[in-house]
Amino acid sequence: MVRGIGLKVLLVADGAGVLCHTAPLVTSLVRTGLSVRLSLTASAQILVGPYYGSMLSGHPVLSFEELDENGVSGYDAILVVPASDKTIKEMCESPAWNGVRCPVLVGPGLLPKDDNADAWDELDATISARGWKLIPAGIETCTMGALGELRVASAERCFEETMVAIGKNDLKGKRILITTGPTAEDADPVRFVTNRSTGRMGVALARMAAWRGAFVTLVHGPMSWPIPQINAIRPVPVRSANDMYKATMELVQDHQVAILCAAVADYTPVEYSDIKIKKGHDATFALLLKRTPDILDAVGHMPGKRPFLVGFAAESDHVHANAQAKLQAKNCDMLCANDVTKPGSGFAVGTNQVTVFLRGGEVRELPQMSKEDVAEKILDMVIERMSLI
Ligand code: CTP
């Protein structure tokens, strides 16, 4: 996945947090094609030394004083993480830092003794007052060997927020609701009916949309694929098809785009048994199922103005005919169909090959690509088609 080619990021690593944070962060940034310059503050240099930094980033390491003296320009984004109180104060007082034009993201690192809600609020106020962005710590901490723990946003969260900061922003201000993952239909406290979806395609869509500036509501079933730690993605966990229907119908009106790619169970047990169903003496067991609500169909036929609607279709045969029929029956603006029997397409793989059916009859065949690349192409088409409405 290459997204950052030609763009330059400066990462300032401060204090003992350099022990746990800097290597994974630089590695993920460089992997996307970004050119990364690393600056180590004096306290970080005591611990790791400049060779460590230049080996990681492929460029000579800059000292924090050099930035102050020579100015901080020529970057597409600047990330300061972990940032101590002292460094944040120095940045605030420095004319070089106050003249910076590109996005500046600051991930403060707090020792357990200083870690409380008031301290985070105060940091937020200081950082936002300069037009910089705070990356708050989630539940994650960074263990600095013998030096103990530091509360700081994870390297993963810092990476994701950097990608948002350097993104194209062509979905800025758009609110997108995405459904993904399987649903689980409980029969008793132990058993449930589900399917093979991991939710990976919907997560790729959510991530790429957030990188492009959108705010994403991700309504997801019980998934095995992790949700990226991005502020602009709001996860809404649900379990059954009925839960997903209720959450989607309650939230969707507030969005300009809905992309429904969940593998929703079409049937659910007629009855739920509060106690575990015991095995009988018969050789067979029949579980009676009833239809679940069709969420895509319900959004497609919502009264009044509805969001731009993208559906998915998982097919094993007659892909074109089935997809065209679903596009029309569910009143979608776009429908992305994939043949789940093809290798490299469908459940639990990193790639997908979809054919996009557009309202009005146009059909666009996409090559097999990573799910992130497929997501980008789908979002390109959403932008293109929305501008026609
Ligand atoms: N879908 C939905 N609610 C359901 C079933 C499906 O919202 N109860 C949506 C899926 O998220 C997808 C589209 O409908 O966007 C097509 O799903 P798919 O499983 O391919 O088809 P179905 O409509 O369920 O029909 P069939 O299983 O008979 O192919």
Side-chain angles (χ1 to χ4, degrees):
M1 183 191 13
V2 173
R3 295 283 183 283
I5 281 191
L7 298 178
K8 272 174 125 184
V9 168
L10 171 69
L11 169 62
V12 180
D14 187 16
V18 75
L19 292 175
C20 56
H21 236 70
T22 310
L25 188 48
V26 174
T27 311
S28 21
L29 291 169
V30 168
R31 203 179 286 141
T32 70
L34 281 165
S35 165
V36 181
R37 284 306 291 269
L38 188 60
S39 167
L40 299 175
T41 62
S43 57
Q45 292 215 19
I46 293 170
L47 291 163
V48 293
Y51 289 120
Y52 171 83
S54 40
M55 288 299 285
L56 276 178
S57 66
H59 297 284
V61 164
L62 300 161
S63 72
F64 192 68
E65 290 68 35
E66 267 176 273
L67 296 176
D68 237 0
E69 283 154 21
N70 304 338
V72 195
S73 59
Y75 301 103
D76 296 286
I78 298 174
L79 188 59
V80 188
V81 63
S84 64
D85 261 4
K86 179 171 168 279
T87 298
I88 295 172
K89 193 162 176 279
E90 280 173 22
M91 286 167 64
C92 288
E93 287 166 2
S94 151
W97 280 92
N98 281 296
V100 173
R101 292 281 155 267
C102 70
V104 177
L105 301 123
V106 185
L110 295 188
L111 293 167
K113 68 176 175 53
D114 305 320
D115 180 15
N116 58 62
D118 288 346
W120 284 100
D121 286 348
E122 208 174 299
L123 282 164
D124 194 10
T126 311
I127 289 164
S128 327
R130 266 115 196 132
W132 305 334
K133 193 177 164 204
L134 171 88
I135 312 183
I139 50 163
E140 59 271 16
T141 53
C142 165
T143 306
M144 303 172 294
L147 294 166
E149 300 242 301
L150 191 70
R151 226 1 243 312
V152 59
S154 65
E156 191 218 324
R157 189 186 293 277
C158 296
F159 165 71
E160 298 288 346
E161 294 298 347
T162 308
M163 296 312 284
V164 173
I166 59 162
K168 299 194 251 194
N169 253 342
D170 53 357
L171 284 169
K172 192 171 172 57
K174 291 275 181 289
R175 296 175 63 82
I176 305 184
L177 182 141
I178 297 172
T179 67
T180 196
T183 62
E185 310 301 321
D186 291 321
D188 73 10
V190 181
R191 286 81 162 218
F192 54 91
V193 179
T194 190
N195 60 62
R196 293 177 55 205
S197 166
T198 57
R200 192 165 172 175
M201 187 65 235
V203 167
L205 278 158
R207 190 175 190 213
M208 293 303 112
W211 283 13
R212 291 168 73 160
F215 178 83
V216 179
T217 304
L218 186 64
V219 182
H220 65 90
M223 289 197 303
S224 48
W225 198 251
I227 298 173
Q229 299 175 3
I230 305 181
N231 262 350
I233 299 180
R234 173 191 167 204
V236 179
V238 296
R239 185 161 174 84
S240 67
N242 211 29
D243 298 341
M244 187 174 274
Y245 171 80
K246 281 196 220 143
T248 304
M249 297 317 282
E250 191 188 314
L251 298 168
V252 76
Q253 192 70 71
D254 194 22
H255 296 75
Q256 287 91 35
V257 181
I259 307 179
L260 306 195
C261 75
V264 188
D266 290 327
Y267 294 93
T268 192
V270 169
E271 273 179 35
Y272 174 76
S273 167
D274 288 329
I275 53 169
K276 186 183 167 203
I277 303 165
K278 287 293 187 190
K279 68 172 173 287
H281 295 290
D282 297 340
T284 57
F285 175 82
L287 183 66
L288 194 58
L289 303 172
K290 63 180 179 199
R291 278 285 299 268
T292 56
D294 191 312
I295 308 165
L296 185 59
D297 188 77
V299 176
H301 293 98
M302 258 167 59
K305 189 165 162 47
R306 63 151 174 80
F308 183 89
L309 183 59
V310 183
F312 270 69
E315 303 296 342
S316 61
D317 58 283
H318 301 95
V319 176
H320 278 237
N322 287 340
Q324 291 283 17
K326 277 181 196 171
L327 174 82
Q328 284 185 9
K330 304 197 189 196
N331 195 26
C332 303
D333 297 298
M334 259 169 72
L335 191 110
C336 310
N338 63 325
D339 182 342
V340 289
T341 63
K342 273 195 193 161
S345 185
F347 298 126
V349 286
T351 54
N352 206 357
Q353 196 267 304
V354 306
T355 306
V356 183
F357 297 80
L358 298 152
R359 185 190 280 280
E362 200 186 326
V363 179
R364 297 188 195 169
E365 196 98 28
L366 297 179
Q368 184 176 309
M369 293 182 278
S370 72
K371 285 188 172 163
E372 280 78 15
D373 287 338
V374 173
E376 291 264 43
K377 294 280 178 220
I378 292 171
L379 293 169
D380 287 345
M381 282 185 234
V382 168
I383 293 171
E384 175 199 323
R385 301 300 284 201
M386 276 185 79
S387 65
L388 302 178
I389 293 177

PDB file of all heavy atoms in Angstrom, residues 179 241 260-266 292-297 310-315 326 330 335, ligand 1:
ATOM      1  N   THR A 179     -21.544  -0.233   6.752  1.00  0.00           N
ATOM      2  CA  THR A 179     -21.803  -1.448   7.543  1.00  0.00           C
ATOM      3  C   THR A 179     -20.792  -2.501   7.109  1.00  0.00           C
ATOM      4  O   THR A 179     -20.438  -2.570   5.937  1.00  0.00           O
ATOM      5  CB  THR A 179     -23.225  -2.022   7.346  1.00  0.00           C
ATOM      6  OG1 THR A 179     -23.364  -2.499   6.005  1.00  0.00           O
ATOM      7  CG2 THR A 179     -24.304  -1.001   7.662  1.00  0.00           C
ATOM      8  N   ALA A 241     -28.509  -9.241  12.889  1.00  0.00           N
ATOM      9  CA  ALA A 241     -29.010  -8.490  11.729  1.00  0.00           C
ATOM     10  C   ALA A 241     -30.030  -7.445  12.195  1.00  0.00           C
ATOM     11  O   ALA A 241     -30.057  -6.313  11.702  1.00  0.00           O
ATOM     12  CB  ALA A 241     -29.661  -9.461  10.745  1.00  0.00           C
ATOM     13  N   LEU A 260     -23.111  -0.056   2.250  1.00  0.00           N
ATOM     14  CA  LEU A 260     -23.515  -1.200   3.072  1.00  0.00           C
ATOM     15  C   LEU A 260     -22.827  -2.456   2.551  1.00  0.00           C
ATOM     16  O   LEU A 260     -23.223  -3.017   1.544  1.00  0.00           O
ATOM     17  CB  LEU A 260     -25.039  -1.348   3.069  1.00  0.00           C
ATOM     18  CG  LEU A 260     -25.835  -0.088   3.491  1.00  0.00           C
ATOM     19  CD1 LEU A 260     -27.286  -0.449   3.796  1.00  0.00           C
ATOM     20  CD2 LEU A 260     -25.236   0.622   4.707  1.00  0.00           C
ATOM     21  N   CYS A 261     -21.750  -2.853   3.218  1.00  0.00           N
ATOM     22  CA  CYS A 261     -21.045  -4.037   2.717  1.00  0.00           C
ATOM     23  C   CYS A 261     -21.032  -5.172   3.727  1.00  0.00           C
ATOM     24  O   CYS A 261     -20.311  -6.145   3.552  1.00  0.00           O
ATOM     25  CB  CYS A 261     -19.670  -3.672   2.187  1.00  0.00           C
ATOM     26  SG  CYS A 261     -18.427  -3.320   3.379  1.00  0.00           S
ATOM     27  N   ALA A 262     -21.834  -5.068   4.785  1.00  0.00           N
ATOM     28  CA  ALA A 262     -21.879  -6.163   5.759  1.00  0.00           C
ATOM     29  C   ALA A 262     -22.451  -7.430   5.129  1.00  0.00           C
ATOM     30  O   ALA A 262     -23.295  -7.368   4.233  1.00  0.00           O
ATOM     31  CB  ALA A 262     -22.743  -5.744   6.952  1.00  0.00           C
ATOM     32  N   ALA A 263     -21.969  -8.556   5.621  1.00  0.00           N
ATOM     33  CA  ALA A 263     -22.537  -9.845   5.218  1.00  0.00           C
ATOM     34  C   ALA A 263     -23.639 -10.174   6.231  1.00  0.00           C
ATOM     35  O   ALA A 263     -23.421 -10.926   7.188  1.00  0.00           O
ATOM     36  CB  ALA A 263     -21.458 -10.913   5.210  1.00  0.00           C
ATOM     37  N   VAL A 264     -24.787  -9.544   6.025  1.00  0.00           N
ATOM     38  CA  VAL A 264     -25.888  -9.666   6.997  1.00  0.00           C
ATOM     39  C   VAL A 264     -26.536 -11.041   6.857  1.00  0.00           C
ATOM     40  O   VAL A 264     -26.801 -11.484   5.733  1.00  0.00           O
ATOM     41  CB  VAL A 264     -26.956  -8.573   6.714  1.00  0.00           C
ATOM     42  CG1 VAL A 264     -28.010  -8.552   7.806  1.00  0.00           C
ATOM     43  CG2 VAL A 264     -26.319  -7.211   6.539  1.00  0.00           C
ATOM     44  N   ALA A 265     -26.776 -11.698   7.971  1.00  0.00           N
ATOM     45  CA  ALA A 265     -27.460 -12.997   7.895  1.00  0.00           C
ATOM     46  C   ALA A 265     -28.863 -12.784   7.334  1.00  0.00           C
ATOM     47  O   ALA A 265     -29.566 -11.858   7.758  1.00  0.00           O
ATOM     48  CB  ALA A 265     -27.549 -13.617   9.287  1.00  0.00           C
ATOM     49  N   ASP A 266     -29.237 -13.598   6.382  1.00  0.00           N
ATOM     50  CA  ASP A 266     -30.581 -13.460   5.797  1.00  0.00           C
ATOM     51  C   ASP A 266     -31.639 -14.099   6.692  1.00  0.00           C
ATOM     52  O   ASP A 266     -32.818 -13.772   6.584  1.00  0.00           O
ATOM     53  CB  ASP A 266     -30.623 -14.128   4.419  1.00  0.00           C
ATOM     54  CG  ASP A 266     -29.808 -13.338   3.403  1.00  0.00           C
ATOM     55  OD1 ASP A 266     -29.771 -12.097   3.518  1.00  0.00           O
ATOM     56  OD2 ASP A 266     -29.187 -13.965   2.517  1.00  0.00           O
ATOM     57  N   THR A 292     -34.560 -12.049   8.135  1.00  0.00           N
ATOM     58  CA  THR A 292     -34.152 -10.831   8.851  1.00  0.00           C
ATOM     59  C   THR A 292     -34.542  -9.632   7.986  1.00  0.00           C
ATOM     60  O   THR A 292     -34.793  -9.793   6.790  1.00  0.00           O
ATOM     61  CB  THR A 292     -32.626 -10.823   9.043  1.00  0.00           C
ATOM     62  OG1 THR A 292     -32.023 -10.957   7.758  1.00  0.00           O
ATOM     63  CG2 THR A 292     -32.162 -11.927   9.957  1.00  0.00           C
ATOM     64  N   PRO A 293     -34.556  -8.420   8.550  1.00  0.00           N
ATOM     65  CA  PRO A 293     -34.841  -7.258   7.704  1.00  0.00           C
ATOM     66  C   PRO A 293     -33.700  -7.037   6.710  1.00  0.00           C
ATOM     67  O   PRO A 293     -32.540  -7.286   7.050  1.00  0.00           O
ATOM     68  CB  PRO A 293     -34.913  -6.089   8.694  1.00  0.00           C
ATOM     69  CG  PRO A 293     -34.420  -6.584   9.996  1.00  0.00           C
ATOM     70  CD  PRO A 293     -34.329  -8.071   9.960  1.00  0.00           C
ATOM     71  N   ASP A 294     -34.017  -6.585   5.494  1.00  0.00           N
ATOM     72  CA  ASP A 294     -32.985  -6.269   4.507  1.00  0.00           C
ATOM     73  C   ASP A 294     -32.635  -4.784   4.648  1.00  0.00           C
ATOM     74  O   ASP A 294     -33.443  -3.908   4.320  1.00  0.00           O
ATOM     75  CB  ASP A 294     -33.475  -6.593   3.096  1.00  0.00           C
ATOM     76  CG  ASP A 294     -32.339  -6.518   2.095  1.00  0.00           C
ATOM     77  OD1 ASP A 294     -31.587  -5.513   2.114  1.00  0.00           O
ATOM     78  OD2 ASP A 294     -32.177  -7.465   1.309  1.00  0.00           O
ATOM     79  N   ILE A 295     -31.451  -4.521   5.173  1.00  0.00           N
ATOM     80  CA  ILE A 295     -31.068  -3.145   5.519  1.00  0.00           C
ATOM     81  C   ILE A 295     -30.880  -2.303   4.253  1.00  0.00           C
ATOM     82  O   ILE A 295     -31.342  -1.157   4.169  1.00  0.00           O
ATOM     83  CB  ILE A 295     -29.768  -3.144   6.365  1.00  0.00           C
ATOM     84  CG1 ILE A 295     -29.925  -4.092   7.560  1.00  0.00           C
ATOM     85  CG2 ILE A 295     -29.430  -1.744   6.851  1.00  0.00           C
ATOM     86  CD1 ILE A 295     -28.617  -4.459   8.244  1.00  0.00           C
ATOM     87  N   LEU A 296     -30.184  -2.886   3.265  1.00  0.00           N
ATOM     88  CA  LEU A 296     -29.922  -2.140   2.019  1.00  0.00           C
ATOM     89  C   LEU A 296     -31.243  -1.753   1.351  1.00  0.00           C
ATOM     90  O   LEU A 296     -31.431  -0.611   0.910  1.00  0.00           O
ATOM     91  CB  LEU A 296     -29.063  -3.007   1.089  1.00  0.00           C
ATOM     92  CG  LEU A 296     -28.583  -2.363  -0.207  1.00  0.00           C
ATOM     93  CD1 LEU A 296     -27.738  -1.127   0.059  1.00  0.00           C
ATOM     94  CD2 LEU A 296     -27.774  -3.363  -1.048  1.00  0.00           C
ATOM     95  N   ASP A 297     -32.142  -2.694   1.309  1.00  0.00           N
ATOM     96  CA  ASP A 297     -33.449  -2.445   0.700  1.00  0.00           C
ATOM     97  C   ASP A 297     -34.200  -1.349   1.470  1.00  0.00           C
ATOM     98  O   ASP A 297     -34.806  -0.459   0.879  1.00  0.00           O
ATOM     99  CB  ASP A 297     -34.247  -3.752   0.721  1.00  0.00           C
ATOM    100  CG  ASP A 297     -35.538  -3.637  -0.052  1.00  0.00           C
ATOM    101  OD1 ASP A 297     -35.470  -3.681  -1.287  1.00  0.00           O
ATOM    102  OD2 ASP A 297     -36.594  -3.454   0.591  1.00  0.00           O
ATOM    103  N   VAL A 310     -24.524   2.880  -1.720  1.00  0.00           N
ATOM    104  CA  VAL A 310     -23.679   1.867  -2.364  1.00  0.00           C
ATOM    105  C   VAL A 310     -23.938   0.521  -1.691  1.00  0.00           C
ATOM    106  O   VAL A 310     -23.842   0.407  -0.469  1.00  0.00           O
ATOM    107  CB  VAL A 310     -22.177   2.219  -2.208  1.00  0.00           C
ATOM    108  CG1 VAL A 310     -21.304   1.195  -2.941  1.00  0.00           C
ATOM    109  CG2 VAL A 310     -21.891   3.625  -2.699  1.00  0.00           C
ATOM    110  N   GLY A 311     -24.289  -0.479  -2.500  1.00  0.00           N
ATOM    111  CA  GLY A 311     -24.475  -1.829  -1.962  1.00  0.00           C
ATOM    112  C   GLY A 311     -23.364  -2.740  -2.435  1.00  0.00           C
ATOM    113  O   GLY A 311     -22.573  -2.390  -3.307  1.00  0.00           O
ATOM    114  N   PHE A 312     -23.298  -3.890  -1.846  1.00  0.00           N
ATOM    115  CA  PHE A 312     -22.362  -4.925  -2.266  1.00  0.00           C
ATOM    116  C   PHE A 312     -23.154  -6.167  -2.644  1.00  0.00           C
ATOM    117  O   PHE A 312     -24.310  -6.314  -2.227  1.00  0.00           O
ATOM    118  CB  PHE A 312     -21.360  -5.248  -1.145  1.00  0.00           C
ATOM    119  CG  PHE A 312     -20.122  -4.394  -1.200  1.00  0.00           C
ATOM    120  CD1 PHE A 312     -20.181  -3.047  -0.911  1.00  0.00           C
ATOM    121  CD2 PHE A 312     -18.897  -4.949  -1.574  1.00  0.00           C
ATOM    122  CE1 PHE A 312     -19.043  -2.249  -0.980  1.00  0.00           C
ATOM    123  CE2 PHE A 312     -17.752  -4.165  -1.638  1.00  0.00           C
ATOM    124  CZ  PHE A 312     -17.826  -2.822  -1.349  1.00  0.00           C
ATOM    125  N   ALA A 313     -22.559  -7.044  -3.406  1.00  0.00           N
ATOM    126  CA  ALA A 313     -23.217  -8.320  -3.696  1.00  0.00           C
ATOM    127  C   ALA A 313     -22.163  -9.403  -3.717  1.00  0.00           C
ATOM    128  O   ALA A 313     -21.167  -9.296  -4.441  1.00  0.00           O
ATOM    129  CB  ALA A 313     -23.937  -8.259  -5.034  1.00  0.00           C
ATOM    130  N   ALA A 314     -22.342 -10.391  -2.874  1.00  0.00           N
ATOM    131  CA  ALA A 314     -21.436 -11.547  -2.870  1.00  0.00           C
ATOM    132  C   ALA A 314     -22.123 -12.619  -3.701  1.00  0.00           C
ATOM    133  O   ALA A 314     -23.196 -13.091  -3.333  1.00  0.00           O
ATOM    134  CB  ALA A 314     -21.234 -12.026  -1.435  1.00  0.00           C
ATOM    135  N   GLU A 315     -21.515 -12.986  -4.830  1.00  0.00           N
ATOM    136  CA  GLU A 315     -22.151 -13.952  -5.727  1.00  0.00           C
ATOM    137  C   GLU A 315     -21.223 -15.127  -5.996  1.00  0.00           C
ATOM    138  O   GLU A 315     -20.000 -14.993  -5.937  1.00  0.00           O
ATOM    139  CB  GLU A 315     -22.493 -13.277  -7.071  1.00  0.00           C
ATOM    140  CG  GLU A 315     -23.390 -12.047  -6.959  1.00  0.00           C
ATOM    141  CD  GLU A 315     -24.784 -12.344  -6.405  1.00  0.00           C
ATOM    142  OE1 GLU A 315     -25.198 -13.523  -6.417  1.00  0.00           O
ATOM    143  OE2 GLU A 315     -25.458 -11.410  -5.954  1.00  0.00           O
ATOM    144  N   LYS A 326     -30.084  -6.897  -8.113  1.00  0.00           N
ATOM    145  CA  LYS A 326     -30.004  -6.332  -6.748  1.00  0.00           C
ATOM    146  C   LYS A 326     -29.950  -4.814  -6.784  1.00  0.00           C
ATOM    147  O   LYS A 326     -30.569  -4.140  -5.960  1.00  0.00           O
ATOM    148  CB  LYS A 326     -28.763  -6.868  -6.010  1.00  0.00           C
ATOM    149  CG  LYS A 326     -28.985  -8.231  -5.383  1.00  0.00           C
ATOM    150  CD  LYS A 326     -27.760  -8.759  -4.638  1.00  0.00           C
ATOM    151  CE  LYS A 326     -27.922 -10.255  -4.401  1.00  0.00           C
ATOM    152  NZ  LYS A 326     -26.732 -10.903  -3.880  1.00  0.00           N
ATOM    153  N   LYS A 330     -33.050  -3.069  -4.882  1.00  0.00           N
ATOM    154  CA  LYS A 330     -32.763  -2.377  -3.616  1.00  0.00           C
ATOM    155  C   LYS A 330     -32.570  -0.880  -3.828  1.00  0.00           C
ATOM    156  O   LYS A 330     -32.207  -0.163  -2.888  1.00  0.00           O
ATOM    157  CB  LYS A 330     -31.545  -3.017  -2.941  1.00  0.00           C
ATOM    158  CG  LYS A 330     -31.728  -4.541  -2.704  1.00  0.00           C
ATOM    159  CD  LYS A 330     -30.748  -5.086  -1.699  1.00  0.00           C
ATOM    160  CE  LYS A 330     -30.780  -6.607  -1.639  1.00  0.00           C
ATOM    161  NZ  LYS A 330     -30.141  -7.158  -0.448  1.00  0.00           N
ATOM    162  N   LEU A 335     -23.558  -0.564  -7.121  1.00  0.00           N
ATOM    163  CA  LEU A 335     -23.484  -1.876  -6.470  1.00  0.00           C
ATOM    164  C   LEU A 335     -22.160  -2.545  -6.859  1.00  0.00           C
ATOM    165  O   LEU A 335     -21.812  -2.607  -8.030  1.00  0.00           O
ATOM    166  CB  LEU A 335     -24.659  -2.754  -6.887  1.00  0.00           C
ATOM    167  CG  LEU A 335     -24.750  -4.007  -6.026  1.00  0.00           C
ATOM    168  CD1 LEU A 335     -25.963  -3.978  -5.109  1.00  0.00           C
ATOM    169  CD2 LEU A 335     -24.799  -5.244  -6.884  1.00  0.00           C
TER     170      LEU A 335
HETATM  171  N1  CTP B   1     -27.981  -6.821   2.864  1.00  0.00           N
HETATM  172  C1  CTP B   1     -28.604  -6.119   3.880  1.00  0.00           C
HETATM  173  N2  CTP B   1     -29.473  -6.756   4.709  1.00  0.00           N
HETATM  174  C2  CTP B   1     -29.726  -8.079   4.572  1.00  0.00           C
HETATM  175  C3  CTP B   1     -29.099  -8.805   3.542  1.00  0.00           C
HETATM  176  C4  CTP B   1     -28.216  -8.141   2.706  1.00  0.00           C
HETATM  177  O1  CTP B   1     -28.358  -4.909   4.010  1.00  0.00           O
HETATM  178  N3  CTP B   1     -30.571  -8.667   5.423  1.00  0.00           N
HETATM  179  C5  CTP B   1     -27.100  -6.075   1.946  1.00  0.00           C
HETATM  180  C6  CTP B   1     -25.649  -6.456   2.035  1.00  0.00           C
HETATM  181  O2  CTP B   1     -24.970  -5.652   2.987  1.00  0.00           O
HETATM  182  C7  CTP B   1     -25.167  -6.156   0.606  1.00  0.00           C
HETATM  183  C8  CTP B   1     -26.387  -6.450  -0.239  1.00  0.00           C
HETATM  184  O3  CTP B   1     -27.511  -6.384   0.650  1.00  0.00           O
HETATM  185  O4  CTP B   1     -24.875  -4.774   0.445  1.00  0.00           O
HETATM  186  C9  CTP B   1     -26.403  -7.770  -0.928  1.00  0.00           C
HETATM  187  O5  CTP B   1     -26.154  -8.797  -0.014  1.00  0.00           O
HETATM  188  P1  CTP B   1     -26.019 -10.315  -0.531  1.00  0.00           P
HETATM  189  O6  CTP B   1     -25.763 -11.191   0.646  1.00  0.00           O
HETATM  190  O7  CTP B   1     -25.093 -10.386  -1.705  1.00  0.00           O
HETATM  191  O8  CTP B   1     -27.458 -10.599  -1.161  1.00  0.00           O
HETATM  192  P2  CTP B   1     -28.872 -10.784  -0.554  1.00  0.00           P
HETATM  193  O9  CTP B   1     -29.664  -9.559  -0.837  1.00  0.00           O
HETATM  194  O10 CTP B   1     -28.826 -11.250   0.853  1.00  0.00           O
HETATM  195  O11 CTP B   1     -29.442 -11.915  -1.495  1.00  0.00           O
HETATM  196  P3  CTP B   1     -28.890 -13.424  -1.727  1.00  0.00           P
HETATM  197  O12 CTP B   1     -28.262 -13.850  -0.416  1.00  0.00           O
HETATM  198  O13 CTP B   1     -30.112 -14.171  -2.061  1.00  0.00           O
HETATM  199  O14 CTP B   1     -27.903 -13.336  -2.844  1.00  0.00           O
END
